[in-house]
Amino acid sequence: MKEPNFIPDRLNEQPPVMRGCSWPELHSIIRNSFAIAFPIALSLAVWWDNYSTMLGSIPVFAGISFWLLTGQLAKKKNGRPVGYFTILANLKKQRRGFGKFYIEYDGYWKITKD
């Protein structure tokens, strides 16, 4: 059997979609931005005593918080290996007892091709 003359090394990685964030990271940022925007819009509607402003202000606050959170994550991801935050989230799930499917390793991973 003939071997290929190249070795693909990025087949299982999530591609960056926006500002260096992959789809799972963007989904979590979207959920967090709406979780941030809803209480702000609700407090604004209660303060003005006009709940129709809440419907118009939720997308505005969600968009602002989405843009700020993607910028913060892009700064945090600078210099980290690919999939670092995904693996970190999986380890946090494992340590809290939400899943026993992840392998925790404290040593050094070999990253060279030998």
Side-chain angles (χ1 to χ4, degrees):
M1 184 170 181
K2 189 176 179 182
E3 293 183 12
N5 56 357
F6 69 94
I7 299 173
D9 59 346
R10 294 187 182 182
L11 291 177
N12 294 330
E13 295 178 6
Q14 293 282 340
V17 179
M18 180 181 167
R19 296 180 91 178
C21 298
S22 61
W23 278 114
E25 293 167 345
L26 282 179
H27 283 268
S28 65
I29 290 173
I30 288 169
R31 283 192 306 258
N32 288 334
S33 65
F34 276 106
I36 291 170
F38 185 74
I40 295 172
L42 184 63
S43 64
L44 185 68
V46 168
W47 185 54
W48 280 347
D49 197 24
N50 186 0
Y51 289 97
S52 63
T53 59
M54 186 173 78
L55 295 176
S57 61
I58 285 176
V60 173
F61 291 130
I64 291 169
S65 62
F66 175 77
W67 191 256
L68 293 174
L69 288 174
T70 52
Q72 286 179 356
L73 187 62
K75 287 179 186 176
K76 287 182 182 180
K77 283 181 74 168
N78 192 11
R80 306 267 188 199
V82 176
Y84 174 78
F85 288 105
T86 306
I87 293 170
L88 187 68
N90 289 340
L91 284 175
K92 284 183 180 180
K93 287 178 194 174
Q94 178 187 358
R95 289 177 183 158
R96 291 181 182 156
F98 291 114
K100 302 293 182 194
F101 304 109
Y102 309 110
I103 299 171
E104 191 168 347
Y105 182 69
D106 290 335
Y108 294 100
W109 293 100
K110 184 177 178 183
I111 57 173
T112 61
K113 295 179 186 177
D114 290 328

